[in-house]
Amino acid sequence: DAKHLVPNKMRDFFCTINLDQEEVFRTQVVEKSLSPYFGEEFYFEIPRPFQWLSFYIYDKSVLQKDLRIGKVSIKKEDLCNYTGKENWFMLQPVDSNSEVQGKVHLELKLNELITDNGSVCQQLVVHIKECHGLPLINGQNCDPYATVSLVGPSRNDQKKTKVKKKTSNPHFNETFYFEVTRSSSYTKKSQFQVEEEDIEKLEVRVDLWNNGNLVQDVFLGEIKVPVKVLRNDSFQAWYLLQPRENGNKSSKTDDLGSLRLNICYTEDCVLPSEYYASLRNLLLKSSDVQPISASAAYILSEVCRDKYDAVLPLVRLLLHHHKLVPFVAAVAELDLKDTQEANTVFRGNTLATRCVDEMMKIVGKHYLKVTLKPVIDEICESPKPCEIDPIKLREGDNVEVNMENLRYYVDKVFREIVRSSISCPTLMCDVFYSLRHLAAKRFPNDPHVQYSAVSSFVFLRFFAVAVVSPHTFHLRPHHPDAQTSRTLTLISKAIQTLGSWGSLTKSKLSSFKETFMCEFFKTFQEEKFTESVKKFLDDVSSTESKEPSGLSEPVHLKEGEMYKRAQGRTRIGKKNFKKRWFCLTSRELTYHKQQDKEPIFTIPIKNILAVEKLDESSFNKKNMFQVLHGEKPLYIQANNCVEASEWIEVLCRVTRCNQKRLSFYHPSAFLNGNWLCCKATIENTVGCARCTADVPADTQIEIDGDRETERIYSLFTVNMSKLQKLEEACGSIAVYQGPRNEPDDYSNFTIEDSVSTFHTLKQIIDVVEKLNESHEKYRKKRSSSATYGSE
């Protein structure tokens, strides 16, 4: 959220998230506020190098261009200082001199020349090779040029490159020569005050500009290199472009307002797979360790301050190696030992419940979309008033009508859920089967507990949560408006109650916090709903195999607006790129003139041969990729790098098992009679580059096991002191079984079997120390091979 924004009158605001200057996400518009609350969460992989993560606040305008109020920019190196906690940031002014991204490749050399009369003078050679990642100007590639200057006391020699048209990655390849010192015999009247220039005070400055033609040129960034660092040597390096010094002249920044952000940034250095073998094996055998509290996976959750940090990589790793079900069963059994009442099974935030939650999010994504997306779309796109709280009723609203509307929606959502068991992923069914039987074994005299053990997850923690926040589960692109959000909250409450086993009895009705919800539920026939829930829970906690997915409706995977190039043989130009609405399901990729219109073009998933990036040089456009199928390649431009990466990833995932996938492709387009990449003149010739994803893989869950193991290694490293204290505790308990009177840091840990736990801890510490050595070797190698350049 933001507060005290200027101008000091009620406006409509939205916020964007940018990698350097490329917008990758934007929030909903918050109307008529000076302190807008956005409350939106964005999770994304960063697909390219970047310098700054920036957040811009915009004042939404109907007739004119949206006005940028201010920004928060955080340098990549500083992100770790803010990760995992909320911070208020003062908004900074948006100034063209500070809007910088990209890098420039330079070669600098200091030569000594001997003149005809034998005297010595020095010459500086500046070879400006190329630039990479310059910003888009007004959404288009820029027309860049560079000025190269030698700056010092009483001098400013400046030279200029040619302008390169429509590119963010210009290749200049131009060399400039500067006299650093004159020979002592130089007789012509000199422009310099001194003949022997002080090299200590000289610097090379390279400025990048966008050629404005009829308007003013736009500054793109600069670098400065002191001549003294050359010392008769040559340097060749990439330099990150920097903002102009004092480019931001405004000193009063506190009156623009402030922005509150919660950023969680992680960066993993993933070594080759063989380095992780020992740690991976230690984690994967966790479910076999007796007791489970002595296993490496359980110890990981114990030493992490926030269990969620441990659960995410742990669940993904165990899923990847098909070890999740026995581990969840083992930690759930431990959970049930501490549960005293049958009606409170799996209600806390324990390792078991968090593992199941995370598993459902990963495995159940498509299941949720198939089950809930159509009805959520209906509620959001044609909302009916559903407020039944008399205090919150709007003027003119009728509570009976609203109750009927809410009842209609609740019936529809409930019906979709209880009919959906056929689509429930087998892995979820296997986990529910384990939980059901463990609960029945723990409370043998309670006939309902086997159902409440499953409903506490599938209704309360899965469907009800997805209904109340469809944006989080990718069922909707944005948060719904306030009225729709309230409707979804009421539906979610109703679904939780209907799904809770036996909750509609009259004795339970009196326990409702809100009287209006109690009145609403009096209209429900208990027996009918209870039977539907019972049958559904029986189905989803059964280990019987499901129907083949081919018989069910296609799974909706991704949709959005992008640009595509016409596939005919028409003239190349801007007109060839048209905005279209793309939709991907598990059966086909289609594009439409507009959302909800009939498709113009359809490619069956089974016909896709490869999905790869397209070189920017093909059409001088960023964020392009190609879908290779039976006809000509389909060239598509996404709106930003994150979107392009997500489309490529989901298309690759859903087509990896296609039988006729290509092994080679052309990274560039076929234009003017030849392939731009390899210059071959035959259009249907075999590709010149190997495909990046030509190995079939599991189409449902794509997990990098090594990366998850690296995450777990990082968590163990951060918490090494806790591991060592826990090891000491186990050692002292094993030797001396008496009570420990003094409070200590490990008194909150579960130590059921000190000998087994000590043994596992020793293995973890040994494995982590070996991985520390490997990482250190890599860091030394990396730093020794780094080229001189600016930070």
Side-chain angles (χ1 to χ4, degrees):
D1 57 345
K3 65 182 179 184
H4 309 317
L5 299 180
V6 291
N8 293 317
K9 52 185 173 181
M10 297 299 203
R11 292 296 181 93
D12 301 342
F13 293 106
F14 65 92
C15 181
T16 67
I17 303 176
N18 296 51
L19 289 173
D20 296 321
Q21 282 179 267
E22 183 181 16
E23 181 186 319
V24 291
F25 289 107
R26 68 169 57 190
T27 66
Q28 290 264 65
V29 176
V30 176
E31 297 178 351
K32 303 290 177 280
S33 174
L34 279 177
S35 297
Y37 178 76
F38 302 108
E40 297 199 42
E41 190 172 290
F42 301 92
Y43 172 85
F44 58 103
E45 296 281 329
I46 297 177
R48 63 168 176 81
F50 72 104
Q51 289 174 251
W52 301 86
L53 178 67
S54 300
F55 302 83
Y56 292 82
I57 293 280
Y58 283 82
D59 178 358
K60 179 74 177 169
S61 176
V62 178
L63 301 174
Q64 299 174 320
K65 193 177 175 185
D66 297 332
L67 176 68
R68 287 196 288 194
I69 299 296
K71 68 173 181 178
V72 171
S73 287
I74 305 170
K75 212 170 184 179
K76 180 186 174 183
E77 292 78 16
D78 297 334
L79 280 171
C80 56
N81 300 333
Y82 303 106
T83 191
K85 51 183 183 277
E86 288 185 357
N87 291 278
W88 279 101
F89 295 88
M90 301 304 295
L91 288 173
Q92 303 298 317
V94 179
D95 181 285
S96 61
N97 290 332
S98 68
E99 298 289 280
V100 167
Q101 69 177 62
K103 55 186 179 178
V104 58
H105 193 188
L106 283 186
E107 185 175 11
L108 303 169
K109 200 173 187 180
L110 205 54
N111 288 338
E112 283 195 345
L113 300 179
I114 299 175
T115 59
D116 294 340
N117 62 7
S119 60
V120 176
C121 65
Q122 288 185 307
Q123 181 189 57
L124 176 69
V125 183
V126 180
H127 181 193
I128 179 163
K129 297 190 169 189
E130 59 180 313
C131 291
H132 186 80
L134 297 180
L136 300 176
I137 304 294
N138 298 324
Q140 300 292 322
N141 277 321
C142 52
D143 296 338
Y145 69 89
T147 58
V148 183
S149 311
L150 181 64
V151 182
S154 310
R155 70 185 289 179
N156 188 350
D157 300 352
Q158 188 178 89
K159 303 176 192 289
K160 180 180 165 185
T161 68
K162 292 174 182 169
V163 175
K164 299 294 177 181
K165 292 285 185 183
K166 301 290 176 233
T167 177
S168 295
N169 302 316
H171 288 257
F172 295 111
N173 208 21
E174 293 188 43
T175 306
F176 301 101
Y177 300 91
F178 297 90
E179 288 181 334
V180 177
T181 59
R182 309 272 190 184
S183 65
S184 55
S185 62
Y186 189 73
T187 53
K188 191 176 175 183
K189 188 178 178 185
S190 173
Q191 59 174 308
F192 308 123
Q193 290 180 350
V194 288
E195 291 183 351
E196 189 67 34
E197 192 74 58
D198 183 2
I199 290 180
E200 293 292 315
K201 296 175 184 172
L202 284 177
E203 66 180 12
V204 180
R205 196 178 79 207
V206 178
D207 293 83
L208 267 294
W209 298 85
N210 177 57
N211 184 36
N213 292 323
L214 300 176
V215 295
Q216 190 175 358
D217 292 356
V218 177
F219 174 76
L220 300 177
E222 70 175 13
I223 62 149
K224 295 178 179 178
V225 184
V227 173
K228 65 182 180 184
V229 302
L230 301 177
R231 298 288 180 208
N232 299 322
D233 201 352
S234 70
F235 282 109
Q236 186 176 173
W238 283 97
Y239 294 83
L240 295 178
L241 288 168
Q242 303 295 326
R244 183 183 281 162
E245 284 182 12
N246 301 321
N248 240 340
K249 291 173 186 173
S250 173
S251 58
K252 289 184 74 178
T253 58
D254 51 346
D255 53 354
L256 290 177
S258 51
L259 185 65
R260 182 167 56 146
L261 303 168
N262 190 338
I263 299 165
C264 186
Y265 174 75
T266 56
E267 188 177 284
D268 301 318
C269 161
V270 185
L271 300 173
S273 191
E274 59 269 18
Y275 285 87
Y276 299 108
S278 299
L279 180 56
R280 185 169 53 237
N281 294 338
L282 196 57
L283 292 160
L284 293 179
K285 69 179 186 185
S286 290
S287 53
D288 301 325
V289 174
Q290 292 291 336
I292 190 67
S293 60
S295 67
Y298 192 92
I299 289 168
L300 174 70
S301 73
E302 286 282 88
V303 296
C304 286
R305 189 167 60 87
D306 185 349
K307 268 193 174 58
Y308 182 76
D309 291 342
V311 165
L312 185 59
L314 185 59
V315 167
R316 290 171 68 86
L317 180 70
L318 295 173
L319 260 178
H320 185 60
H321 292 281
H322 311 290
K323 294 280 189 180
L324 184 66
V325 179
F327 180 73
V328 167
V331 289
E333 193 169 13
L334 187 63
D335 227 17
L336 287 165
K337 276 185 189 175
D338 296 330
T339 307
Q340 301 306 316
E341 294 181 33
N343 61 355
T344 61
V345 291
F346 304 128
R347 292 298 174 97
N349 264 335
T350 62
L351 177 59
T353 57
R354 289 218 171 179
C355 282
V356 179
D357 285 350
E358 201 52 48
M359 176 276 295
M360 292 191 297
K361 278 185 196 170
I362 297 168
V363 176
K365 273 194 300 191
H366 300 161
Y367 175 36
L368 270 181
K369 281 189 174 176
V370 171
T371 308
L372 290 183
K373 191 173 188 333
V375 65
I376 295 287
D377 285 345
E378 181 189 336
I379 295 164
C380 293
E381 287 161 18
S382 52
K384 300 176 182 180
C386 294
E387 185 55 75
I388 58 173
D389 183 350
I391 299 168
K392 295 186 178 179
L393 277 178
R394 292 186 178 187
E395 195 175 334
D397 273 3
N398 184 313
V399 73
E400 280 79 21
V401 172
N402 287 7
M403 201 175 278
E404 280 180 27
N405 292 339
L406 182 61
R407 178 63 194 261
Y408 166 77
Y409 283 146
V410 169
D411 279 342
K412 195 158 188 176
V413 172
F414 180 80
R415 193 165 60 247
E416 291 299 328
I417 291 171
V418 294
R419 286 178 178 174
S420 71
S421 58
I422 195 73
S423 307
C424 186
T426 308
L427 192 92
M428 281 174 68
C429 295
D430 290 344
V431 169
F432 294 152
Y433 176 82
S434 293
L435 298 176
R436 176 179 177 171
H437 286 274
L438 286 167
K441 183 179 161 189
R442 172 72 178 86
F443 298 100
N445 299 323
D446 189 320
H448 297 320
V449 75
Q450 59 174 317
Y451 294 108
S452 58
V454 178
S455 67
S456 63
F457 286 106
V458 74
F459 277 100
L460 272 64
R461 291 172 172 263
F462 187 57
F463 285 119
V465 177
V467 168
V468 83
S469 56
H471 170 65
T472 309
F473 289 83
H474 306 292
L475 299 175
R476 296 289 296 170
H478 293 289
H479 273 298
D481 59 55
Q483 185 182 329
T484 310
S485 190
R486 173 66 179 161
T487 299
L488 292 172
T489 301
L490 292 170
I491 296 168
S492 177
K493 285 184 176 189
I495 293 301
Q496 286 182 52
T497 306
L498 290 171
S500 296
W501 183 253
S503 64
L504 294 178
T505 55
K506 286 177 183 174
S507 61
K508 290 286 179 77
L509 282 176
S510 60
S511 67
F512 273 114
K513 289 179 186 173
E514 305 103 334
T515 315
F516 61 87
M517 289 302 285
C518 184
E519 290 299 314
F520 178 60
F521 273 103
K522 284 179 182 174
T523 65
F524 286 79
Q525 294 176 345
E526 181 193 341
E527 194 177 327
K528 172 186 158 191
F529 284 92
T530 305
E531 283 306 307
S532 299
V533 170
K534 180 177 180 295
K535 184 180 182 308
F536 170 73
L537 295 174
D538 276 332
D539 289 345
V540 296
S541 58
S542 156
T543 56
E544 293 171 14
S545 61
K546 297 271 170 273
E547 292 283 330
S549 58
L551 298 178
S552 60
E553 286 295 304
V555 178
H556 180 100
L557 299 173
K558 192 169 176 60
E559 62 182 343
E561 209 167 52
M562 295 189 288
Y563 293 84
K564 66 97 193 172
R565 183 174 181 263
Q567 292 183 286
R569 299 177 182 275
T570 52
R571 184 172 58 83
I572 298 161
K574 284 184 186 174
K575 290 177 183 175
N576 274 354
F577 281 87
K578 293 181 180 172
K579 190 184 282 188
R580 292 289 181 256
W581 184 265
F582 284 80
C583 183
L584 175 66
T585 71
S586 52
R587 288 189 192 165
E588 60 194 19
L589 172 68
T590 56
Y591 61 76
H592 317 242
K593 271 199 172 177
Q594 291 174 331
Q595 190 178 2
D596 301 327
K597 298 285 185 187
E598 288 298 307
I600 304 172
F601 191 73
T602 300
I603 306 174
I605 291 299
K606 63 183 182 184
N607 292 356
I608 295 178
L609 308 175
V611 182
E612 297 288 346
K613 287 182 180 177
L614 185 72
D615 280 356
E616 183 187 322
S617 58
S618 301
F619 301 105
N620 278 332
K621 290 181 183 292
K622 284 179 173 292
N623 306 320
M624 288 204 67
F625 63 95
Q626 51 184 318
V627 179
L628 306 174
H629 56 111
E631 302 171 33
K632 289 176 174 292
L634 175 61
Y635 296 132
I636 302 171
Q637 184 187 26
N639 294 309
N640 57 63
C641 62
V642 172
E643 192 179 273
S645 176
E646 287 178 353
W647 272 101
I648 293 168
E649 191 270 336
V650 72
L651 278 163
C652 284
R653 192 173 71 224
V654 81
T655 59
R656 275 187 175 174
C657 292
N658 287 359
Q659 291 181 342
K660 296 181 180 178
R661 278 194 66 90
L662 296 175
S663 295
F664 292 88
Y665 77 108
H666 290 284
S668 291
F670 186 83
L671 296 174
N672 302 325
N674 66 63
W675 288 101
L676 298 181
C677 40
C678 59
K679 307 304 178 191
T681 53
I682 301 168
E683 191 169 1
N684 61 356
T685 187
V686 176
C688 56
R690 180 169 283 282
C691 287
T692 54
D694 59 347
V695 182
D698 180 0
T699 57
Q700 189 180 15
I701 306 163
E702 191 68 20
I703 291 170
D704 182 343
D706 293 335
R707 183 173 178 181
E708 304 306 333
T709 316
E710 169 64 28
R711 285 265 77 226
I712 291 168
Y713 153 73
S714 300
L715 292 169
F716 275 138
T717 306
V718 169
N719 293 290
M720 180 55 81
S721 61
K722 286 186 185 175
L723 288 170
Q724 288 165 341
K725 282 177 182 172
L726 196 52
E727 188 184 34
E728 287 170 23
C730 290
S732 64
I733 294 167
V735 174
Y736 172 61
Q737 293 291 341
R740 286 172 289 155
N741 298 320
E742 293 180 23
D744 48 52
D745 289 340
Y746 43 77
S747 53
N748 293 326
F749 294 139
T750 304
I751 305 175
E752 283 185 279
D753 184 326
S754 56
V755 177
S756 300
T757 309
F758 182 85
H759 178 65
T760 306
L761 283 161
K762 188 155 179 38
Q763 287 178 291
I764 293 170
I765 292 166
D766 288 348
V767 163
V768 169
E769 284 173 352
K770 280 181 186 170
L771 272 169
N772 282 342
E773 290 172 16
S774 303
H775 278 80
E776 192 54 40
K777 279 181 188 172
Y778 170 77
R779 273 190 286 271
K780 282 181 180 173
K781 184 180 174 185
R782 188 180 176 189
S783 61
S784 65
S785 62
T787 318
Y788 173 86
S790 65
E791 297 214 344

